[in-house]
Amino acid sequence: MIEIRDASKVYKNGTHAMDHISLTIQDGEYVCIIGLSGAGKSTLLRSVNRLNEITDGEILIDGRSITKAGKKELREIRTHIGLISQQFNLVKRSTVQKNILSGKLGSYGTLRSIFGLFSKEDYEKVNEVLAKVGLSDRLQSRCDELSGGQQQRVCIARTLFQDASIILADEPVASLDPVTSNKVLTDLKMINESMGRTILVNIHSVELAKHYATRIIGLQDGKLVFDGTPAELTDEKLRAIYKGNYMPAKEHEA
Ligand code: ADP
């Protein structure tokens, strides 16, 4: 469970990117965060694993305060949270297998990760998670040989390998074509439904958010202005979130 309690973020330049946000996300939810560019989606998402430090309020992961955690506890809490970001966060010159194995570094000691002492079970598990995202034949490919969509799926596989119970995805389909976007979001849906992982996604496309999410959060200027099901997200509510700039007819995927 993710509990965001009256959280705010004021950047050093004075920008209020999160303005008193309170939100509880239960295990197994598939939440999409929508809003105009600059609304605070990325700031909110990254505050959940404390890549962004909030300036006020508190965030709890499964009852433990990530915002107040010391270094060791923070590392431990983070092993439960996977991140898929726009920049993919993959070591491009390294193989798919190595990139996925690196998902475990947070829970292994430094020595062990430096010497690459992974167990037989680890290697078997890499094969399993790759099969889940349909990339079994790419185990030894270098990541820079893969398409954008395939790289996103390697990132998803890495969060599965990590056994993250929460998966954060920051604009995972922003640079992908509609078909590939659907594949990536479908993979996340499969992981959500069959493995019970909680998914939190920032997304530009309202159409995709409505199609995949069980719950949609709308942000505007750092404030939470909508929290409901896809069915409750009417055109009128969308116009409010997008400050009158939402036009359903022009809506495209990603
Ligand atoms: P979104 O993901 O919805 O596009 P962001 O969370 O990236 O929004 O940004 C929210 C607001 O905070 C914007 O006004 C943005 O310019 C500002 N912002 C984001 N990152 C920083 C930063 N590192 N320093 C100062 N302002 C920032």
Side-chain angles (χ1 to χ4, degrees):
M1 183 161 88
I2 306 168
E3 288 172 85
I4 301 175
R5 295 184 179 166
D6 201 21
S8 295
K9 169 72 177 183
V10 184
Y11 283 107
K12 286 201 178 85
N13 64 3
T15 306
H16 288 254
M18 273 169 78
D19 196 353
H20 297 283
I21 291 186
S22 291
L23 196 60
T24 300
I25 296 170
Q26 302 292 344
D27 291 344
E29 288 196 75
Y30 191 133
V31 181
C32 282
I33 306 173
I34 59 167
L36 286 170
S37 186
K41 302 182 294 295
S42 195
T43 302
L44 171 64
L45 191 95
R46 286 165 181 264
S47 69
V48 172
N49 67 352
R50 214 174 122 186
L51 275 182
N52 159 45
E53 295 270 3
I54 54 173
T55 44
D56 210 358
E58 188 174 18
I59 297 176
L60 291 93
I61 307 294
D62 296 330
R64 295 158 80 187
S65 175
I66 187 164
T67 41
K68 288 188 180 146
K71 262 191 190 164
K72 191 165 169 239
E73 193 179 12
L74 175 61
R75 205 165 46 232
E76 211 291 308
I77 298 175
R78 275 186 178 155
T79 61
H80 303 285
I81 309 173
L83 175 71
I84 300 166
S85 80
Q86 249 169 325
Q87 298 82 19
F88 308 126
N89 283 334
L90 295 172
V91 181
K92 297 277 169 70
R93 296 166 62 86
S94 206
T95 63
V96 167
Q97 186 186 46
K98 283 191 181 138
N99 269 281
I100 292 178
L101 285 166
S102 77
K104 205 144 186 186
L105 299 189
S107 55
Y108 275 169
T110 319
L111 271 182
R112 194 156 192 204
S113 37
I114 288 171
F115 291 108
L117 296 174
F118 294 101
S119 66
K120 186 165 157 270
E121 287 74 27
D122 285 336
Y123 287 104
E124 280 167 7
K125 195 166 164 193
V126 171
N127 297 337
E128 275 170 36
V129 296
L130 262 188
K132 286 223 156 62
V133 297
L135 288 177
S136 291
D137 54 336
R138 292 303 200 153
L139 185 68
Q140 298 301 342
S141 300
R142 268 172 50 151
C143 286
D144 54 11
E145 292 166 359
L146 304 181
S147 69
Q150 287 171 329
Q151 290 185 25
Q152 283 301 48
R153 277 145 67 204
V154 173
C155 290
I156 294 172
R158 186 172 56 181
T159 65
L160 292 180
F161 179 75
Q162 185 195 339
D163 269 335
S165 53
I166 297 169
I167 298 176
L168 308 175
D170 196 6
E171 300 282 5
V173 297
S175 53
L176 305 177
D177 62 77
V179 174
T180 314
S181 296
N182 274 299
K183 268 194 196 142
V184 168
L185 293 167
T186 302
D187 278 348
L188 286 173
K189 188 87 183 160
M190 176 273 291
I191 289 160
N192 169 251
E193 287 179 346
S194 69
M195 303 169 83
R197 310 291 164 93
T198 307
I199 315 278
L200 192 53
V201 190
N202 282 348
I203 196 158
H204 269 297
S205 166
V206 170
E207 200 172 88
L208 291 177
K210 280 186 143 181
H211 187 74
Y212 289 97
T214 55
R215 177 178 175 188
I216 296 176
I217 305 286
L219 296 182
Q220 189 190 81
D221 299 330
K223 292 189 177 67
L224 196 150
V225 293
F226 178 83
D227 182 358
T229 62
E232 288 163 349
L233 187 63
T234 58
D235 285 353
E236 194 188 338
K237 299 233 165 76
L238 280 165
R239 274 191 291 274
I241 297 168
Y242 288 93
K243 300 185 180 178
N245 292 318
Y246 175 71
M247 286 175 283
K250 281 196 173 175
E251 177 64 18
H252 296 295
E253 288 102 324

